[in-house]
Amino acid sequence: APAETEKWVQGLAGPSVSLTAIEAARLAIVDRYRRDGYVYTVVDAVITRGNLRFQVTEGRVVAVKLDGDIGPAGVQVLRFLNRLTEKQPIDIASLERWLLLAQDVPGITLNAVLQPSLGDPGALTLVAQVARQKMDPAAEAKLLGLVTPVADARALDGCDLLIEAVFENRALKAAVTREAEPMLAPGGIFASNT
């Protein structure tokens, strides 16, 4: 806001401005950025030949890298985290939102580190340290106990969720779908692995 900016720089003109006054103005600008959620923004006070200039470097994510192998889940993690490169400058609410969504991808753990990108002030690389999450054997057994593979569509009568996993043969997929879909309970879900 112009009125707020004027208040910060008031009294900074003339030959005898104290460094304390300059630092107070710089901190007021930094504080404004912080209150608005831009915690990766830096403000420098630069004095050149008697002229004062506040140089603002706004932090932004320019690249996202995965550190670790989580298989196909990495594609979904990157879908979420690459959204951070679209938000410039980066604010803490956006960073938190996309990190939380990426951490919710099933079967993984994720820790993030922001690293400065050399030669480009304000540019940050987000390194997502990822790993596959080990499942408790009891929880795995319980989950697998809920799955019942069948070869006869009549065994599906009244089921709530049906996942078709026929190999890529269009005619066979269509035949299986025609036979199995009517067996779903009302409001049941029919899903395919492709």
Side-chain angles (χ1 to χ4, degrees):
E4 190 175 14
T5 305
E6 256 182 59
K7 185 176 83 174
W8 298 332
V9 297
Q10 187 175 9
L12 295 182
S16 60
V17 176
S18 71
L19 290 176
T20 303
I22 293 170
E23 180 62 5
R26 187 191 74 79
L27 289 174
I29 298 168
V30 168
D31 182 59
R32 177 54 193 245
Y33 272 97
R34 299 296 183 266
R35 281 186 317 214
D36 290 345
Y38 298 101
V39 298
Y40 298 104
T41 296
V42 176
V43 179
D44 292 313
V46 180
I47 302 172
T48 309
R49 290 189 293 269
N51 294 314
L52 171 63
R53 176 173 51 97
F54 289 105
Q55 181 174 320
V56 177
T57 305
E58 296 178 327
R60 64 200 186 287
V61 176
V62 296
V64 175
K65 296 180 181 176
L66 290 185
D67 179 15
D69 179 18
I70 54 173
V75 173
Q76 184 59 46
V77 168
L78 285 173
R79 276 190 195 127
F80 287 132
L81 296 181
N82 279 329
R83 298 293 296 269
L84 293 168
T85 62
E86 300 167 7
K87 178 78 170 149
Q88 296 187 14
I90 190 66
D91 62 274
I92 197 71
S94 297
L95 187 62
E96 182 179 35
R97 171 184 166 73
W98 295 110
L99 281 171
L100 286 172
L101 286 169
Q103 287 172 333
D104 280 347
V105 171
I108 66 135
T109 60
L110 182 147
N111 292 306
V113 176
L114 285 171
Q115 298 176 339
S117 296
L118 300 177
D120 189 0
L124 302 166
T125 298
L126 186 141
V127 178
Q129 300 165 335
V130 294
R132 294 175 193 247
Q133 191 174 42
K134 298 201 184 308
M135 184 177 267
D136 172 11
E140 181 180 6
K142 181 179 178 182
L143 190 60
L144 289 174
L146 297 173
V147 176
T148 307
V150 298
D152 184 351
R154 291 175 293 198
L156 302 172
D157 191 32
C159 72
D160 295 314
L161 172 65
L162 189 147
I163 303 172
E164 167 273 310
V166 174
F167 58 91
E168 296 307 308
N169 177 321
R170 294 184 96 185
L172 182 57
K173 273 186 170 306
V176 168
T177 300
R178 273 192 311 276
E179 187 178 356
E181 201 169 30
M183 300 296 172
L184 278 173
I189 297 171
F190 185 88
S192 175
N193 70 334
T194 55

